[in-house]
Amino acid sequence: MYVIRLADGTLRVPRSLASEDRRLIGNGYVEVGPDDPEYGRWLPESVTEEEAAERRRRWVEENDALEREFLAFKADQDEA
């Protein structure tokens, strides 16, 4: 998940919610505006919605080759 910088400058910062015993309940985003004390911390690593979409697209395309390589490795291990 990426820190997303919206056109109005608001940041969508990924957050996870966990139970008291630390089991994951869910993932989501919180919006952080320029007046928030944490804004400056997140701004340098933020990407636009378009940049995030491009990264996801590239990851999916590049993942195909990685997945084939993993499946071939797994098949070799299963044969041994």
Side-chain angles (χ1 to χ4, degrees):
M1 294 175 74
Y2 302 105
V3 176
I4 307 294
R5 184 176 61 255
L6 303 176
D8 68 357
T10 301
L11 303 177
R12 285 195 181 143
V13 179
R15 291 282 162 86
S16 296
L17 181 61
S19 64
E20 289 182 18
D21 63 354
R22 301 177 90 110
R23 287 184 296 153
L24 180 66
I25 294 174
N27 291 316
Y29 286 92
V30 294
E31 291 195 353
V32 175
D35 57 335
D36 190 291
E38 294 291 311
Y39 187 83
R41 175 177 158 217
W42 295 110
L43 183 60
E45 68 181 76
S46 66
V47 297
T48 65
E49 291 178 284
E50 293 79 15
E51 291 168 327
E54 174 62 18
R55 288 180 181 189
R56 281 190 297 274
R57 184 193 62 75
R58 268 196 348 252
W59 185 87
V60 168
E61 287 175 1
E62 294 168 5
N63 185 52
D64 290 344
L66 182 60
E67 184 177 8
R68 283 190 300 275
E69 185 178 331
F70 171 75
L71 292 174
F73 169 79
K74 186 175 181 306
D76 288 344
Q77 296 300 309
D78 290 345
E79 291 174 5

